[in-house]
C-alpha cells in the first residue's frame, strides 16, 4: 500500500515538473486551460497573419498534451493548481482596416517616356492619369467622371469631381509630354472642358460611367420574350470596369453596375422602383464619336433572371384583355405594340371605356399610321354580335364609309381618346375674372384618359371623362377694362385636365372646362400668385 502511494506521488511530481517546464518555455501558454473552445474556432480560420501562425505553431505541443484520452492511464491534475492567467495568445486583437499604401506608377511599363510617379491609393473603380502615365483603359468615346487626387496618404475620393460633378464623354487625348484631355462641350460656341495631365502633380482619377440616369431599357427573359421596361432613376454605386477589349477598331468594355430602376411589366402596367444590379456591355465603334450600350446581363427582378436591351421598344409592349363572360363572349386576347394611352379593340372585345359620342383616333396595331387620314372622329355607335361594328362620323351622308369591325385587324386596334382639337377656342378665367382667350394651334401630342365616371341624373346616366391634354395655343390676354389688341397674342404650350361630359340623351360629348392649367411661360408665375384657380372654358358664340 505504501509503495503504491509513493508511486502515485512520484507520478504527480513528474507531471508537475513537466507542466512547469512547458510554462517556462512558452510564457503565454499557461492560459490554454481557460479558452479551449475559442482556440478551436481560431484554428478553424485560414492563417493569414505570420505572427498568429508562429504562435499557433509554438503552442501545438501544448494542444497535443491537452488532448484527453479517456482510455489511457494518465493521471489528471486540478486546473486551478496551474496558476492560470486571464489572457489567451489566440485572441486576435481588433484592428482597424489596413490603410492602403501609395501607388507607384512607371510610364515605361506602358511603352512611354520612363516617368515615375507616386500617388495616393486608388479605389478599384478609379483609373490613374498623371504626367505621361495614362491608364490604357482610359479611351476616347466613353464617359468619365474626373476627380483630382489629393496628397499621398489621403483618401482618393476626398476631392470633388471636375465639370460640376458631371460625367462627360472624352473626345480626345493629345500627344506630347503634357497630354491634353478634351471632353464634350455643353456650349454652342467654345469649349472649356479640358485640362492637361501634368496640371496636378498628385494626378487625376478617371471613373468610368457606362450607365447614366434617365437611360431606358426593355427587359427580356432567358427565352428572348420581352416582359417590360426599365428606366434608370439613380446610380447607386461606382461602375467598376471588369473587362476591356481592343480589336479591329472596336473597343468593348464591361462593368458592374448597381442602380434603382422604374420597372414596368407589360402585363400589369404598374411601375415600381426596384434596386437592380448586373453586368453592362458597351461598345465604341471606329467611326462613331460615342460608345453605346449593347446589353445589361445578369439582372434579377423578383427573383427571376433577365437581360436588358437599350431603348423602350414599343413593338414589344403586350396587353392582355378578357371578354366579359356575362355580357359578352368569354374570350382572351394578347395584343402586342399597343401604346400606353390607347384603348384596345380586338376580335370580339371592345373596351368598356370606348363610348359613342366621344372622339377617337384609330390605329391598327400592325402599323404606325392612323385610319381616316389621322383625324379624330366622333364614334356614333357600337354594333352587337360576335364582330362588333364601330361606326364613326361620316364625311358624306350619301356614302358613309367611316366604319370598321372589331375583328377586321387580327392584331387589334388602338383607340386614342381626344378632347381638344385644333381651332377650338376657350376663355381663360379665374373665378369671375376673364383673363384672356386661347385658340388651339397644334394638337399633335397624345391625349391620355386618366379616369371615367358615370353620374346619375334625373334624365338618365351621364358619362364624364377626364383627359390629360398637351397642346399649343395662341393666347390673347385681356387688358384692364376689357379691351384687347392683337399684339398681345402669345404662343404658349398649355397642359391641363379636360373634363368631357356626355349627357344622357345627347349624341355628342362636350368639353365643360380644362382645369389644372399649366403654361410653358413666365406668365404662369404671375397667374399663380394672383389667380391660383385658372380654368379654360369653351367660348360660346
Amino acid at each position: 500500500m505504501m509503495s503504491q502511494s509513493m508511486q502515485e506521488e512520484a507520478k504527480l511530481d513528474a507531471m508537475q515538473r513537466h507542466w512547469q517546464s512547458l510554462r517556462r518555455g512558452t510564457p503565454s501558454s499557461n492560459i490554454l486551460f481557460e479558452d479551449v473552445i475559442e482556440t478551436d474556432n481560431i484554428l478553424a480560420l485560414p492563417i493569414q497573419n505570420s505572427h498568429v501562425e508562429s504562435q499557433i505553431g509554438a503552442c501545438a505541443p501544448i494542444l497535443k498534451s491537452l488532448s484527453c484520452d479517456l482510455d489511457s492511464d494518465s493521471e489528471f491534475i486540478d486546473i486551478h493548481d496551474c496558476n492560470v492567467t486571464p489572457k489567451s495568445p489566440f485572441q486576435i486583437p481588433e484592428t482597424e482596416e489596413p490603410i492602403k499604401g501609395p501607388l507607384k506608377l512607371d510610364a515605361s511599363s506602358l511603352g512611354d517616356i520612363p516617368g515615375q510617379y507616386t500617388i495616393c491609393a486608388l479605389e478599384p473603380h478609379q483609373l490613374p492619369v498623371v504626367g505621361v502615365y495614362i491608364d490604357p483603359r482610359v479611351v476616347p468615346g466613353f464617359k468619365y467622371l474626373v476627380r483630382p487626387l489629393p496628397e499621398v496618404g489621403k483618401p482618393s475620393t476626398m476631392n470633388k469631381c471636375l465639370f460640376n460633378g458631371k460625367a462627360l464623354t472624352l473626345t480626345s487625348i493629345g500627344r506630347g509630354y503634357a497630354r491634353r484631355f478634351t471632353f464634350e462641350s455643353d456650349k454652342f460656341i467654345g469649349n472649356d472642358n479640358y485640362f492637361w495631365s501634368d496640371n496636378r502633380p498628385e494626378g487625376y482619377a478617371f471613373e468610368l460611367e457606362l450607365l447614366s440616369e434617365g437611360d431606358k431599357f426593355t427587359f427580356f427573359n432567358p427565352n428572348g420574350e420581352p416582359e417590360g421596361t426599365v428606366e434608370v432613376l439613380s446610380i447607386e454605386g461606382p461602375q467598376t470596369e471588369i473587362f476591356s477589349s481592343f480589336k479591329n477598331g472596336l473597343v468593348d468594355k464591361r462593368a458592374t453596375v448597381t442602380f434603382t430602376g422604374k420597372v414596368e411589366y407589360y402585363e400589369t402596367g404598374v411601375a415600381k422602383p426596384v434596386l437592380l444590379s448586373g453586368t453592362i456591355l458597351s461598345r465604341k465603334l471606329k467611326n462613331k464619336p460615342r460608345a453605346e450600350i449593347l446589353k445589361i446581363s445578369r439582372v434579377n427582378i423578383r427573383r427571376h433572371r433577365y437581360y436588358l436591351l437599350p431603348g423602350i421598344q414599343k413593338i414589344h409592349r403586350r396587353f392582355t384583355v378578357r371578354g366579359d363572360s356575362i355580357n359578352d363572349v368569354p374570350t382572351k386576347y394578347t395584343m402586342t405594340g399597343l401604346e400606353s394611352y390607347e384603348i384596345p379593340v380586338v376580335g370580339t372585345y371592345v373596351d368598356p371605356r370606348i363610348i359613342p359620342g366621344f372622339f377617337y383616333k384609330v390605329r391598327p396595331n400592325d402599323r404606325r399610321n392612323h385610319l381616316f387620314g389621322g383625324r379624330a372622329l366622333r364614334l356614333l355607335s357600337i354594333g352587337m354580335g360576335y364582330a362588333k361594328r364601330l361606326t364613326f362620323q361620316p364625311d358624306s351622308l350619301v356614302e358613309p364609309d367611316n366604319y370598321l369591325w372589331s375583328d377586321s385587324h387580327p392584331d387589334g386596334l388602338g383607340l386614342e381618346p381626344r378632347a381638344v382639337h385644333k381651332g377650338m377656342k376657350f376663355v381663360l378665367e379665374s373665378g369671375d375674372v376673364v383673363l384672356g382667350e386661347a385658340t388651339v394651334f397644334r394638337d399633335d401630342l397624345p391625349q391620355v384618359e386618366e379616369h371615367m365616371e358615370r353620374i346619375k341624373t334625373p334624365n338618365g346616366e351621364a358619362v364624364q371623362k377626364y383627359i390629360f391634354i398637351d397642346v399649343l395655343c395662341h393666347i390673347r390676354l385681356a387688358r384692364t377694362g376689357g379691351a384687347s389688341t392683337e399684339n398681345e397674342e402669345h404662343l404658349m404650350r398649355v397642359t391641363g385636365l379636360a373634363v368631357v361630359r356626355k349627357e344622357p340623351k345627347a349624341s355628342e360629348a362636350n368639353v365643360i372646362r380644362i382645369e389644372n392649367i399649366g403654361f410653358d411661360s413666365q406668365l404662369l408665375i404671375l397667374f399663380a400668385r394672383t389667380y391660383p384657380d385658372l380654368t379654360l372654358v369653351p367660348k360660346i358664340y
Side-chain angles (χ1 to χ4, degrees):
M1 218 29 210
M2 180 67 67
S3 61
Q4 184 177 0
S5 176
M6 292 175 64
Q7 290 177 0
E8 289 179 356
E9 289 179 2
K11 289 182 179 179
L12 180 58
D13 291 338
M15 184 174 292
Q16 288 178 345
R17 285 195 301 270
H18 175 69
W19 282 107
Q20 292 296 332
S21 64
L22 290 178
R23 289 175 62 188
R24 286 193 297 271
T26 310
S28 59
S29 63
N30 54 356
I31 47 73
L32 286 173
F33 301 101
E34 242 181 45
D35 297 325
V36 177
I37 298 179
E38 290 188 11
T39 301
D40 294 339
N41 292 335
I42 295 296
L43 292 175
L45 297 175
I47 304 302
Q48 297 178 350
N49 191 308
S50 59
H51 175 64
V52 176
E53 186 176 5
S54 63
Q55 288 182 333
I56 294 177
C59 298
I62 304 176
L63 296 176
K64 185 176 181 181
S65 63
L66 283 177
S67 62
C68 300
D69 189 358
L70 297 180
D71 297 332
S72 66
D73 297 331
S74 302
E75 298 287 344
F76 296 94
I77 62 174
D78 190 354
I79 295 179
H80 298 287
D81 295 338
C82 295
N83 192 17
V84 179
T85 56
K87 293 185 179 179
S88 170
F90 300 106
Q91 188 173 359
I92 300 177
E94 294 184 2
T95 59
E96 296 182 359
E97 239 179 79
I99 300 175
K100 298 178 181 178
L103 183 62
K104 295 184 179 181
L105 305 174
D106 187 355
S108 63
S109 62
L110 304 178
D112 210 321
I113 300 174
Q116 296 183 355
Y117 309 91
T118 300
I119 62 174
C120 67
L122 299 182
E123 300 295 327
H125 65 281
Q126 294 179 324
L127 311 178
V129 169
V130 55
V132 296
Y133 187 93
I134 313 297
D135 193 290
R137 292 170 292 178
V138 177
V139 181
F142 290 88
K143 273 187 175 183
Y144 295 95
L145 278 167
V146 182
R147 190 185 302 274
L149 291 176
E151 299 175 356
V152 175
K154 295 183 178 179
S156 62
T157 56
M158 66 176 296
N159 293 334
K160 294 183 179 179
C161 294
L162 301 181
F163 314 128
N164 296 322
K166 295 181 180 179
L168 300 180
T169 302
L170 178 62
T171 57
S172 65
I173 302 176
R175 296 183 178 182
Y177 185 83
R179 315 291 165 83
R180 170 169 165 157
F181 285 77
T182 306
F183 293 80
E184 62 180 347
S185 175
D186 50 1
K187 299 179 180 179
F188 292 102
I189 300 176
N191 184 5
D192 300 330
N193 299 334
Y194 63 88
F195 62 88
W196 278 267
S197 58
D198 64 346
N199 282 358
R200 290 178 58 86
E202 298 85 1
Y204 299 87
F206 279 53
E207 302 176 8
L208 180 66
E209 182 176 298
L210 299 180
L211 186 69
S212 305
E213 293 183 6
D215 290 347
K216 298 180 180 180
F217 300 87
T218 301
F219 63 89
F220 297 76
N221 61 24
N223 296 326
E225 298 175 351
E227 295 201 9
T229 60
V230 175
E231 179 180 355
V232 180
L233 299 179
S234 61
I235 307 298
E236 302 301 337
Q239 304 178 31
T240 305
E241 183 174 335
I242 58 176
F243 173 80
S244 292
S245 173
F246 305 82
K247 186 177 181 181
N248 299 330
L250 300 180
V251 183
D252 289 344
K253 287 183 178 291
R254 282 193 178 92
T256 57
V257 293
T258 302
F259 61 98
T260 298
K262 184 172 68 174
V263 178
E264 178 181 352
Y265 281 86
Y266 290 146
E267 295 292 339
T268 61
V270 178
K272 292 183 179 181
V274 180
L275 182 64
L276 305 173
S277 63
T279 302
I280 183 171
L281 171 62
S282 183
R283 172 172 291 175
K284 163 73 170 57
L285 297 176
K286 186 175 182 180
N287 299 324
K288 288 193 175 182
R290 294 179 181 85
E292 298 179 352
I293 298 174
L294 297 184
K295 185 179 182 180
I296 302 180
S297 58
R298 302 178 182 178
V299 179
N300 288 324
I301 304 176
R302 295 182 181 177
R303 299 181 180 179
H304 293 281
R305 181 65 62 89
Y306 296 95
Y307 65 89
L308 277 58
L309 297 183
I312 294 181
Q313 304 179 19
K314 297 179 180 179
I315 59 173
H316 296 306
R317 182 184 293 274
R318 295 202 310 272
F319 192 81
T320 302
V321 296
R322 293 175 175 82
D324 189 353
S325 59
I326 299 176
N327 302 321
D328 204 346
V329 182
T331 53
K332 176 183 176 181
Y333 302 94
T334 299
M335 304 173 64
T336 302
L338 192 71
E339 298 286 355
S340 59
Y341 52 83
E342 292 179 330
I343 304 175
V345 171
V346 57
T348 63
Y349 179 85
V350 177
D351 195 284
R353 293 173 291 177
I354 299 175
I355 297 176
F358 291 87
F359 285 78
Y360 298 93
K361 291 179 71 173
V362 183
R363 183 187 67 86
N365 265 348
D366 57 352
R367 67 186 75 168
R368 302 308 305 164
N369 297 328
H370 292 78
L371 300 179
F372 312 128
R375 297 174 297 164
L377 299 180
R378 177 164 57 93
L379 180 62
L380 299 182
S381 64
I382 301 176
M384 305 290 290
Y386 183 85
K388 301 171 179 60
R389 170 169 166 157
L390 280 70
T391 305
F392 293 86
Q393 184 178 358
D395 297 322
S396 172
L397 296 176
V398 178
E399 296 180 356
D401 55 357
N402 294 340
Y403 60 87
L404 52 87
W405 278 267
S406 59
D407 63 348
S408 297
H409 298 269
D411 296 324
L413 302 164
L415 273 65
E416 176 194 340
R418 305 290 291 187
V420 177
H421 317 285
K422 180 179 178 181
M424 294 181 68
K425 296 181 180 294
F426 296 88
V427 177
L428 180 61
E429 297 180 350
S430 176
D432 297 332
V433 181
V434 176
L435 302 176
E437 296 181 358
T439 303
V440 179
F441 173 64
R442 298 286 296 269
D443 62 344
D444 303 327
L445 296 178
Q447 300 182 18
V448 185
E449 180 177 333
E450 293 199 352
H451 66 280
M452 180 185 75
E453 57 186 10
R454 297 179 181 271
I455 304 171
K456 292 184 178 180
T457 65
N459 298 326
E461 188 178 65
V463 179
Q464 190 162 293
K465 289 179 178 287
Y466 296 84
I467 301 175
F468 176 80
I469 64 159
D470 189 346
V471 295
L472 287 176
C473 294
H474 287 293
I475 295 182
R476 185 179 302 170
L477 299 178
R479 279 186 172 183
T480 55
S484 63
T485 58
E486 292 185 359
N487 58 2
E488 293 178 348
E489 190 172 86
H490 306 273
L491 181 62
M492 299 184 192
R493 180 182 176 186
V494 180
T495 61
L497 194 63
V499 182
V500 190
R501 184 183 177 99
K502 178 180 177 296
E503 298 297 339
K505 296 182 180 180
S507 60
E508 182 176 347
N510 297 305
V511 178
I512 301 176
R513 65 185 180 277
I514 301 176
E515 53 192 25
N516 298 333
I517 300 296
F519 294 110
D520 186 15
S521 170
Q522 294 181 352
L523 290 174
L524 180 62
I525 302 175
L526 175 63
F527 288 149
R529 292 181 178 178
T530 311
Y531 308 104
D533 52 345
L534 293 175
T535 56
L536 287 172
V537 180
K539 186 175 181 180
I540 301 176
Y541 296 94

